[in-house]
Amino acid sequence: MQVYKVGGAVRDRLLGLPVTDVDRVVVGATTEEMLAKGFRPVGADFPVFLHPKTGEEYALARTERKSGRGYGGFTFYASPEVTLEEDLIRRDLTINAMAEDDQLNLTDPYHGQRDLEARILRHVSPAFAEDPLRVLRVARFAARYAGLGFTVADETMDLMRQLSESGELQALTAERSWKEISRALMEDHPQVFIQVLRDCGALKELLPEVEALFGVPQPETHHPEIDTGLHTLSVLEQSAQHKQPLTVRWACLLHDLGKGLTPEDEWPRHIAHEHTGLKLIKAVNERFKVPKDCQELALLAGQYHTHGHRALELKASTLLELLQSFDIYRRPQRFEEFIAACEMDARGRKGLEQRSYPQADYLRGAAKAARAVAVQPLLEQGFKGPELGEALKRERLKALKAYKEAATA
Ligand code: ATP
Ligand code: MG
């Protein structure tokens, strides 16, 4: 039997990038032979094994055939007769369809190296269209390698467009979609992910609420870029440049969804978009079974981002309500992430990327002042139950008034 490294490990070595996870393919072996060598079987669908010592993945070379809708609809065929070329042809992109042996001899039947040099993301064969997830994968690789100058081949875009129009994207499970979306948002250029999805018609299938933002104007005085979709892309871009975590990036993507619902006769203003957007944010969260921390921050940022921007003008009582809504006493991290999302929103405006955002420190200071109010003296004064809560609120309000006066003096 022969063993080859395949996929990302080969691609990233040739690009001179660090290789983290290594996939291997085994040609000319049976399941019985693998087990006899001590490999541990994993994966119910097709023969994948873990190396007895290193724990790395070894998959038997296989072919696959589409037999129904969605990813479940595949039949796999693994046997010692399946060749390396046959295994490689079922892969998504040419740059992912190269193999190398221990001596770094490259097997590259579909010209992945040529496409690497030309910086092109190109599908391997028409079978690309058999798995709609590949639309998201290509957009994700575009987001990852945009900095190196990679773009999607025209003929691959055509296939992605056909897949999007066919409605097949609707057959993807929430889990598979979210895995790609979340990984794509964490790439260096997450805005490219959204842009590529939009260009091939997949955005209106997967995230119609985001698609709807394109072509919607905002007041030029605050938003020199005008278009709400372009603004959203810039906010995402900022979130990556500032190395924000997934929660913040997800909130950035969804914060303005309400603007897509504004009646045209109200343009370019978007009265109460913070509230109209909430049901859309909720729907998107549920569609992809998004993790709870991402869901929560997206909803809170959607509802309160304009509060963040107006932080210095807020009355002490409104400031207190804001802090209470975030439960800053038990969830300090979440409030920090909210502040970050607001800052990314402010920086995601054309020509204003470098402008300082004093609201951030102001909000941090306010949270600190509210947290500094001690419960003990109130307990000593005999407050308990609901009265204790009221007294605490009064003291926090006092503290915030003093903070506001000192900070804006
Ligand atoms: P990463 O650096 O993100 O791990 P990768 O290319 O190694 O990138 P994996 O998801 O680990 O991506 O998959 C390993 C290889 O398996 C890919 O390079 C590709 O050849 C193939 N592959 C994975 N998923 C698909 C798919 N849905 N359709 C076609 N080929 C796929
Ligand atoms: Mg990999």
Side-chain angles (χ1 to χ4, degrees):
M1 69 187 213
Q2 303 98 44
V3 177
Y4 303 88
K5 283 186 189 172
V6 284
V10 181
R11 176 196 69 221
D12 287 339
R13 184 184 69 77
L14 291 172
L15 282 172
L17 299 174
V19 170
T20 43
D21 114 298
V22 181
D23 302 294
R24 288 187 176 78
V25 68
V26 182
V27 178
T30 61
T31 295
E32 292 68 32
E33 284 165 336
M34 295 300 283
L35 296 175
K37 285 184 188 293
F39 281 86
R40 283 170 288 134
V42 285
D45 300 338
F46 34 79
V48 180
F49 301 86
L50 298 182
H51 190 278
K53 293 217 179 69
T54 65
E56 289 184 316
E57 269 192 28
Y58 289 65
L60 293 190
R62 65 177 189 263
T63 58
E64 54 184 41
R65 228 168 348 105
K66 180 116 172 130
S67 55
R69 246 173 106 83
Y71 195 62
F74 269 102
T75 18
F76 297 95
Y77 175 71
S79 99
E81 287 81 53
V82 175
T83 64
L84 184 57
E85 285 75 9
E86 284 169 336
D87 180 276
L88 294 175
I89 201 169
R90 71 178 168 82
R91 292 168 186 270
D92 49 5
L93 295 171
T94 61
I95 64 165
N96 290 343
M98 298 181 276
E100 70 187 18
D101 64 16
D102 282 345
Q103 281 79 50
L104 302 184
N105 294 312
L106 199 67
T107 303
D108 181 17
Y110 310 109
H111 310 295
Q113 208 173 14
R114 188 179 68 195
D115 286 338
L116 265 191
E117 275 155 28
R119 303 303 199 223
I120 289 178
L121 303 170
R122 191 195 313 277
H123 66 284
V124 175
S125 87
F128 178 91
E130 292 179 356
D131 179 9
L133 190 78
R134 292 169 189 158
V135 173
L136 283 89
R137 282 180 58 92
V138 174
R140 171 164 69 81
F141 284 114
R144 183 187 296 181
Y145 297 126
L148 296 175
F150 276 84
T151 56
V152 183
D154 290 341
E155 62 268 30
T156 303
M157 269 308 229
D158 289 342
L159 277 180
M160 290 162 70
R161 203 167 292 120
Q162 283 170 29
L163 263 168
S164 303
E165 282 165 9
S166 75
E168 276 265 333
L169 289 171
Q170 303 300 336
L172 290 170
T173 62
E175 288 77 11
R176 288 187 89 208
S177 300
W178 174 251
K179 195 168 163 224
E180 290 301 323
I181 293 169
S182 57
R183 291 182 72 186
L185 289 178
M186 290 312 290
E187 299 292 356
D188 283 346
H189 305 277
Q191 76 282 7
V192 173
F193 175 71
I194 301 295
Q195 186 67 58
V196 169
L197 291 181
R198 179 157 194 261
D199 291 345
C200 71
L203 192 63
K204 67 174 183 294
E205 294 290 314
L206 297 165
L207 288 162
E209 300 85 352
V210 177
E211 174 75 32
L213 301 178
F214 290 85
V216 173
Q218 308 166 98
E220 193 173 358
T221 43
H222 280 94
H223 284 283
E225 73 286 350
I226 300 175
D227 188 277
T228 311
L230 295 183
H231 164 61
T232 300
L233 294 182
S234 300
V235 178
L236 261 189
E237 182 178 4
Q238 288 298 318
S239 75
Q241 282 184 15
H242 289 266
K243 306 263 181 269
Q244 298 295 352
L246 180 61
T247 44
V248 174
R249 297 187 192 201
W250 183 241
C252 285
L253 179 64
L254 304 187
H255 77 285
D256 265 347
L257 290 190
K259 289 183 179 172
L261 294 176
T262 309
E264 281 189 38
D265 58 5
E266 288 177 22
W267 286 356
R269 296 181 65 213
H270 299 279
I271 306 147
H273 73 277
E274 307 88 339
H275 297 282
T276 53
L278 291 180
K279 61 176 185 291
L280 301 184
I281 297 173
K282 193 157 174 283
V284 174
N285 277 338
E286 284 168 6
R287 184 174 314 143
F288 299 110
K289 298 189 183 152
V290 172
K292 196 148 169 276
D293 56 347
C294 290
Q295 292 210 19
E296 275 180 8
L297 191 70
L299 284 165
L300 286 165
Q303 185 167 1
Y304 293 114
H305 63 280
T306 46
H307 275 63
H309 301 327
R310 286 186 287 109
L312 282 93
E313 293 103 68
L314 296 180
K315 289 188 298 186
S317 57
T318 313
L319 205 46
L320 180 60
E321 279 166 33
L322 178 71
L323 299 176
Q324 306 282 55
S325 305
F326 277 85
D327 192 10
I328 58 153
Y329 316 101
R330 281 182 297 179
R331 305 283 302 273
Q333 183 60 29
R334 186 170 65 177
F335 192 60
E336 266 305 316
E337 291 176 358
F338 164 71
I339 296 173
C342 292
E343 181 168 346
M344 298 307 105
D345 182 23
R347 290 185 186 281
R349 297 181 297 163
K350 200 171 164 213
L352 302 176
E353 296 83 356
Q354 306 302 328
R355 185 186 275 192
S356 67
Y357 192 70
Q359 291 92 326
D361 276 339
Y362 183 79
L363 287 168
R364 283 185 195 110
K368 200 171 157 203
R371 272 193 214 104
V373 172
V375 193
Q376 195 56 35
L378 300 174
L379 289 170
E380 281 163 16
Q381 287 170 50
F383 287 110
K384 47 179 174 302
E387 275 106 67
L388 178 63
E390 285 306 311
L392 200 51
K393 221 170 145 186
R394 273 198 306 277
E395 290 305 313
R396 284 170 178 160
L397 189 59
K398 238 195 268 174
L400 284 175
K401 278 186 179 149
Y403 170 74
K404 186 174 158 65
E405 253 167 57
T408 48

